[in-house]
Amino acid sequence: KALSLLSSTLRDELRSEIFGPHLKTMPLFRMFIFMDQFAVQRLCLESLRFETLVQSDELFSTGQPAGSAYILIHGELNYYLEQAFSKSDNPEEFTRVEKDTWLSEAALWSEWIHVGRAVSPDVCELIVISAVAFAASIASSASLQPLAAEYCKQFHSRIVTARPPLTSYPTDLEVPYTEFSELAVSMSKGAQMTISKVSLQHMKQSLLINRAGSARLRTEVRNSQALVVLDAEGNLLRVINLVTFLVRRDDGRIFAQIARGKHMELAPGCVLPGTKQRSDELVADTTQRMLNDGLCFLNGALDLGRFERMTDQLMSKDLNVLTRYNKTVIHAELKEWIDPDSLPTEVATLRRAGPLQRRSSTSSPSSFFQAEEPAGDQDLEAKQVYVAYDSDEILRAFVWLTAEEFDHLSSPAGESALDKWVRSLEVPTKSQCRPFTRRSVISQDSPTPMEISPIAPR
């Protein structure tokens, strides 16, 4: 009765205040609130309602068209995934859904059909978001509609491409690669600029960024060189998506990149071969680009296996901002018909590639790395190192390493040995390299040929 005494404007604001904290658990909706608070108030009024379930109530069932998304705000749910999409053979196996979990978000961005059923083991409460009403509310906001459309495009593309071995199948609880920062990296430059500017304006820890670091970060955003987002708690994150290859031979050796650079200058760094995911790219697109360019000399030689997702967060020393690295590791093996020991020779013969030669050194091969020698091969200098220019004229050096060597050279303890090794290599000019024709296992399209070359000693 007391609520009826309030004006409609105050009632709308109160409703928004009630729903707001739950909506903010999704970074996109947090962004919406900062961008157009009045549009979000209309959304709360027209699209959202509460629903209570008692013990054994079914929220939705397998095969049922999804007309709503849900946020569990109190209690728990049991989610039973349809057997056709599950890795388990036990039909009674379920996932326990806890507070603040979103269910069926895909219904907001696609014609979604439930692939499982959700049952309440006890009393629980949810927020129900009507997909039709949500779309109408967003469409009425000139500020929110462009970002929502870009988000929808990226989310939908991940629904239709999510399948083994690239990813698991999409479910009512998760669509692979749809965490907000992963989607944002693939959005258009305009959408990324909007997200970054709003994030910088509303970040919690603005006082923690030093003045020089803040100026540099804003410059990077203005020049489309960096993407920053707000996480579910409102903290600022600088985001980079990476795709890397973990290629192993039958003997366990790993194909590693030990240096990269430009203008004949190699900077040492022992890492898995990889690249940044570009805007408007899915992981599959980035994978194809790498095999068509930076790793084209392995094209046709690999069997792609599972795709592993990893996330690392490191504090940027100069910016004093957390950087989130969303990494996809593609596990791959050489095809059975390729002799691992002859692969470098095959690359040299068929791809016109060749091993890097060392500069002359007064140190004997056996003593060059004596101080910091990793387990495995005792003479790193004797290894064949291959160099390649990609279409952006980035120079990279590759080598087969044992797992122990890779761990050592990629650690701080191996930095000195790696630096000596890389400095002992003769770096070619691009004119010294001979182009070769690539075969593509993914696409027949052939961009500017990568160039790879044998190097003569000084």
Side-chain angles (χ1 to χ4, degrees), residues 209-222 319:
I209 302 180
N210 58 64
R211 182 172 299 179
S214 178
R216 177 181 166 186
L217 185 60
R218 293 178 188 277
T219 300
E220 287 186 359
V221 168
R222 189 165 52 250
L319 298 177

Side-chain angles (χ1 to χ4, degrees), residues 369 380 383 385 399 409 417-425:
F369 296 102
L380 294 177
K383 290 182 179 295
V385 180
V399 69
L409 293 175
L418 180 63
D419 182 65
K420 290 179 182 178
W421 190 12
V422 170
R423 284 192 292 107
S424 75
L425 302 175

Side-chain angles (χ1 to χ4, degrees), residues 151-426:
Y151 186 96
C152 177
K153 172 187 173 182
Q154 298 299 332
F155 198 103
H156 182 267
S157 67
R158 282 153 176 79
I159 294 176
V160 299
T161 58
R163 62 178 61 88
L166 178 62
T167 68
S168 58
Y169 287 111
T171 74
D172 298 289
L173 299 183
E174 180 189 21
V175 176
Y177 295 105
T178 55
E179 195 275 327
F180 183 69
S181 64
E182 294 174 317
L183 293 175
V185 169
S186 296
M187 291 182 187
S188 66
K189 292 294 185 182
Q192 290 183 1
M193 184 75 73
T194 298
I195 292 171
S196 294
K197 286 183 176 179
V198 173
S199 299
L200 286 170
Q201 290 171 2
H202 297 278
M203 59 185 175
K204 275 185 178 180
Q205 70 273 38
S206 57
L207 296 178
L208 299 181
I209 302 180
N210 58 64
R211 182 172 299 179
S214 178
R216 177 181 166 186
L217 185 60
R218 293 178 188 277
T219 300
E220 287 186 359
V221 168
R222 189 165 52 250
N223 295 334
S224 299
Q225 296 173 332
L227 169 66
V228 292
V229 303
L230 295 176
D231 64 13
E233 288 74 41
N235 299 311
L236 191 70
L237 290 175
R238 187 166 172 261
V239 182
I240 297 174
N241 279 13
L242 300 172
V243 178
T244 63
F245 274 82
L246 177 54
V247 181
R248 293 185 186 272
R249 306 191 330 188
D250 287 342
D251 59 8
R253 280 179 168 79
I254 297 170
F255 192 68
Q257 176 182 299
I258 59 168
R260 74 186 297 274
K262 208 167 187 178
H263 306 302
M264 299 177 61
E265 293 294 330
L266 280 174
C270 186
V271 296
L272 296 177
T275 190
K276 291 181 181 180
Q277 187 175 341
R278 294 175 179 172
S279 62
D280 216 18
E281 272 190 348
L282 301 176
V283 170
D285 300 325
T286 310
T287 303
Q288 175 175 329
R289 175 165 57 86
M290 291 173 64
L291 289 174
N292 280 347
D293 193 5
L295 292 179
C296 58
F297 51 90
L298 290 179
N299 220 338
L302 300 179
D303 281 324
L304 302 187
R306 64 189 177 93
F307 283 51
E308 181 182 7
R309 297 168 63 190
M310 304 172 63
T311 300
D312 292 326
Q313 291 192 171
L314 300 174
M315 183 63 72
S316 171
K317 294 180 180 179
D318 50 350
L319 298 177
N320 197 30
V321 173
L322 271 179
T323 298
R324 173 180 289 175
Y325 295 90
N326 297 319
K327 183 185 297 184
T328 298
V329 180
I330 304 170
H331 294 256
E333 296 180 353
L334 296 180
K335 290 184 178 293
E336 292 182 0
W337 51 268
I338 294 179
D339 180 1
D341 293 327
S342 67
L343 180 61
T345 304
E346 179 181 317
V347 172
T349 302
L350 299 182
R351 306 304 188 192
R352 295 184 180 177
L356 281 165
Q357 303 295 326
R358 298 183 303 276
R359 298 188 179 104
S360 58
S361 173
T362 55
S363 303
S364 65
S366 60
S367 63
F368 190 81
F369 296 102
Q370 187 173 3
E372 297 180 307
E373 191 151 295
D377 290 352
Q378 300 300 302
D379 185 9
L380 294 177
E381 279 196 304
K383 290 182 179 295
Q384 291 193 2
V385 180
Y386 289 81
V387 65
Y389 282 96
D390 66 16
S391 58
D392 293 324
E393 300 191 7
I394 300 297
L395 180 67
R396 292 179 174 85
F398 305 95
V399 69
W400 290 103
L401 297 175
T402 65
E404 292 80 7
E405 288 169 339
F406 180 85
D407 290 342
H408 177 75
L409 293 175
S410 60
S411 70
E415 287 180 357
S416 176
L418 180 63
D419 182 65
K420 290 179 182 178
W421 190 12
V422 170
R423 284 192 292 107
S424 75
L425 302 175
E426 182 75 23

